[in-house]
């Protein structure tokens, strides 16, 4: 049985907690090594020096003044002087500071020193016999003299830090996982219902970009579903007319009416063009490789089938483009302009723009109503509602141009031309020349 993988919040939380714990241990180690230990060693060395000095001073003073020195040491420094005590020096477990004090006393005496622990009046005292002139003198300090509990302090600090690390890591993990859970729910909803509420495009840059890309993806999928429905409905509608004419032509051909086979051939050709355009959209259009071309000759070749087209190239002499895709796009635009502006001139212009290269197709036709401009790049959208080939195309030309632009990273813009007509721009991101 396969183990269930952990949630994203638990996965991040565990690793963040471990990272915080390692950080605390490293920080505690650095603090002990570079601050606490040097300060404790210096304090132990100072105390050892004071204890040795006190014993030597006591030995040098007259006996009558020695009690005053002992009282001053006890009151001001917490040090007690007493006759030497009988104990066997041995290595024992003491607090860390006492071990540092033993080492400091050993450095001053030139040998190994061990302190003797004794309980006096409910408090632990640490004694050591020190040389005082020609005799020994016991010098003792209470545990309250240094009153530090480094191990307890370090343990409490690590425990408090670990608790804070757990809380902080859990909060950070949930904060990191919340947008992913939202995307997971939205994806599940979209898969089940075919629609989902847009995700917020806020937060850190990566999360905001993820939400933006998800929203764009769902929008494109919805448009694809709508376009598929429109394609099926449009092609079934547009094929009825040539099929009806073909059926009628066949009946007339049986009666010997001349010219019917030519009409059938034209209808078959129209059907073939319609099916080809529909397949272009249904299969999707892919990005094509770019090449460096001579811009003006390329535009003149594209405009050659249309005698009324005037070519102007104020842009670079050479450009890096996807030539086949650009030829198809401009060809569809010129056919659209020739169909809707049968009398006026048509301009094909190329010029530089802040983005790179900009190519325009401008005509003097009727233009497009402002409330329909945004819809004209959808499949089977036509200004003339009869859908007759004599008054308009199949309504797929601008849709194909839009898909070519999307596939190759261009920007397609439609607008009504000042003075009448339509102007269409294709902006390419890069131009070299």
């Amino acid at each position: 049985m396969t183990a269930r993988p952990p949630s994203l919040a638990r996965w991040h939380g565990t690793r963040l907690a471990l990272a915080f714990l390692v950080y605390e241990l490293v920080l505690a180690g650095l603090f002990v090594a570079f601050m606490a230990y040097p300060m404790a060693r210096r304090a132990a060395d100072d105390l050892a020096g004071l204890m040795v000095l006190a014993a030597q001073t006591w030995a040098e003073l007259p006996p009558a003044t020695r009690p005053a020195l002992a009282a001053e040491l006890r009151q001001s420094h917490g040090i007690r002087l007493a006759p030497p005590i009988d104990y066997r020096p041995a290595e024992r477990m003491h607090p860390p500071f006492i071990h540092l004090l033993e080492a400091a006393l050993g450095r001053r005496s030139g040998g190994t020193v061990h302190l003797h622990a004794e309980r006096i009046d409910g408090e632990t005292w640490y004694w050591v016999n020190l040389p005082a002139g020609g005799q020994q003198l016991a010098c003792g300090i209470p545990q309250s003299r240094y009153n530090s509990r480094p191990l307890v302090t370090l343990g409490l600090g690590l425990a408090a830090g670990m608790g804070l690390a757990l809380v902080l890591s859990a909060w950070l993990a949930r904060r990191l996982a919340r947008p992913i859970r939202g995307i997971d729910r939205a994806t599940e909803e979209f898969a089940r219902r075919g629609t989902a509420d847009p995700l917020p495009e806020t937060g850190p840059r990566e999360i905001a970009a993820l939400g933006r890309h998800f929203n764009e993806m769902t929008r494109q999928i919805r448009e694809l579903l709508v376009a598929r429905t429109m394609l099926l409905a449009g092609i079934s509608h547009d094929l009825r007319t040539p099929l009806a004419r073909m059926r009628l032509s066949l009946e007339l051909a049986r009666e010997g009416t001349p010219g019917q086979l030519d009409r059938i051939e034209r209808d078959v050709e129209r059907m073939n063009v319609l099916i080809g355009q529909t397949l272009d959209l249904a299969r999707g259009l892919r990005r094509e490789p770019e090449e460096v071309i001579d811009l003006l000759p390329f535009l003149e070749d594209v405009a050659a089938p249309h005698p009324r087209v005037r070519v102007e190239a104020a842009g670079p002499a050479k450009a890096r483009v996807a030539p086949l895709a650009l030829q198809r796009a401009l060809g569809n635009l010129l056919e659209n302009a020739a169909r809707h502006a049968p009398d006026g001139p048509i301009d094909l212009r190329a010029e530089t723009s802040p983005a790179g290269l900009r190519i325009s197709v401008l005509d003097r036709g009727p233009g497009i109503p402002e409330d329909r401009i945004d819809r004209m790049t959808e499949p089977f959208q036509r200004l003339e509602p009869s859908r007759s080939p004599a008054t308009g195309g199949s309504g797929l030309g601008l849709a194909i141009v839009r898909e070519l632009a999307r596939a190759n990273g261009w920007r397609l813009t439609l607008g009504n031309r000042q003075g009448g007509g339509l102007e269409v721009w294709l902006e390419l991101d890069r131009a070299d020349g």
Side-chain angles (χ1 to χ4, degrees):
M1 181 177 179
T2 304
R4 184 179 181 183
S7 65
L8 186 63
R10 182 179 176 184
W11 192 88
H12 279 297
T14 303
R15 281 152 180 79
L16 285 171
L18 290 176
F20 281 128
L21 177 60
V22 171
Y23 172 75
E24 289 179 10
L25 293 175
V26 171
L27 188 62
L30 292 174
F31 175 78
V32 170
F34 294 101
M35 291 190 64
Y37 177 75
M39 291 176 64
R41 185 176 179 180
R42 178 64 181 271
D45 193 63
D46 291 344
L47 180 57
L50 181 61
M51 293 171 67
V52 171
L53 180 62
Q56 293 175 351
T57 303
W58 186 89
E60 295 173 357
L61 288 176
T65 60
R66 289 173 180 174
L69 174 64
E72 175 65 21
L73 289 173
R74 182 166 185 177
Q75 180 179 359
S76 301
H77 301 286
I79 298 176
R80 179 185 291 186
L81 299 178
I85 60 176
D86 185 17
Y87 73 95
R88 179 173 296 177
E91 183 74 28
R92 300 181 185 277
M93 183 65 66
H94 294 307
F97 182 79
I98 298 302
H99 288 292
L100 293 176
L101 181 59
E102 289 177 338
L105 290 170
R107 288 193 297 271
R108 290 182 178 273
S109 64
T112 301
V113 176
H114 294 292
L115 273 69
H116 171 67
E118 182 182 9
R119 296 287 294 180
I120 301 176
D121 297 331
E123 185 177 10
T124 301
W125 281 74
Y126 295 94
W127 295 90
V128 62
N129 291 329
L130 297 175
Q135 58 182 331
Q136 293 283 321
L137 184 67
C139 185
I141 59 170
Q143 187 171 349
S144 59
R145 172 65 174 74
Y146 58 91
N147 198 28
S148 64
R149 305 172 72 181
L151 295 180
V152 175
T153 303
L154 186 61
L156 290 176
L158 288 175
M162 187 59 191
L164 180 61
L166 289 174
V167 173
L168 183 59
S169 60
W171 178 77
L172 284 174
R174 288 189 174 89
R175 185 174 178 85
L176 288 171
R178 188 182 301 119
I180 307 300
R181 287 199 301 269
I183 294 176
D184 178 65
R185 288 193 295 267
T187 304
E188 182 181 2
E189 182 182 4
F190 187 80
R192 185 176 63 254
R193 297 171 45 200
T195 182
D197 295 331
L199 292 175
E201 300 178 9
T202 56
R205 181 172 63 251
E206 294 80 3
I207 297 298
L210 185 59
R212 183 167 60 254
H213 294 327
F214 177 85
N215 294 336
E216 178 65 18
M217 179 192 70
T218 55
R219 183 189 65 80
Q220 291 183 2
I221 292 176
R222 284 194 297 267
E223 290 182 356
L224 180 62
L225 293 175
V226 172
R228 182 183 65 180
T229 303
M230 294 178 63
L231 283 172
L232 294 175
I235 193 171
S236 62
H237 180 279
D238 286 353
L239 287 178
R240 285 196 183 99
T241 300
L243 286 173
R245 285 200 301 266
M246 291 170 65
R247 187 178 294 110
L248 177 59
S249 296
L250 288 173
E251 293 296 330
L252 294 176
R254 292 192 184 98
E255 298 175 2
T257 305
Q260 297 307 313
L261 293 179
D262 294 336
R263 294 190 183 95
I264 291 176
E265 185 177 2
R266 287 195 297 270
D267 286 336
V268 169
E269 182 59 29
R270 292 192 185 101
M271 292 170 64
N272 185 54
V273 171
L274 176 62
I275 292 173
Q277 291 178 334
T278 306
L279 287 177
D280 278 344
L281 288 178
R283 292 172 180 168
L285 302 171
R286 298 181 179 179
R287 186 182 185 93
E288 297 182 5
E290 295 181 340
E291 300 176 10
V292 178
I293 62 170
D294 293 323
L295 187 58
L296 183 58
F298 175 82
L299 296 179
E300 290 175 345
D301 289 342
V302 173
H306 308 280
R308 292 187 292 115
V309 175
R310 301 180 300 190
V311 178
E312 301 178 23
K318 294 181 179 295
R320 180 177 293 277
V321 299
L324 295 179
L326 185 59
Q327 183 178 10
R328 291 178 64 192
L330 294 178
N332 282 349
L333 293 177
L334 291 175
E335 289 179 4
N336 187 69
R339 184 180 300 112
H340 292 92
D343 300 324
I346 301 172
D347 295 325
L348 177 60
R349 297 178 184 172
E351 57 190 31
T352 57
S353 70
L357 177 64
R358 176 185 181 189
I359 301 178
S360 308
V361 176
L362 306 97
D363 63 54
R364 289 298 182 185
I368 302 175
E370 293 294 336
D371 59 346
R372 297 193 60 184
I373 288 180
D374 294 337
R375 298 172 53 193
M376 292 310 297
T377 55
E378 298 177 1
F380 298 107
Q381 289 294 323
R382 292 179 27 159
L383 291 176
E384 202 280 322
S386 70
R387 308 191 66 83
S388 170
T391 58
S394 61
L396 294 175
L398 288 178
I400 292 176
V401 174
R402 181 191 66 178
E403 295 304 316
L404 285 168
R406 283 182 177 176
N408 291 276
W410 308 333
R411 285 173 295 280
L412 174 66
T413 308
L414 281 72
N416 286 315
R417 190 179 180 187
Q418 187 174 3
L422 184 70
E423 51 187 13
V424 184
W425 300 276
L426 274 176
E427 292 194 23
L428 287 68
D429 288 335
R430 291 178 294 176
D432 302 324

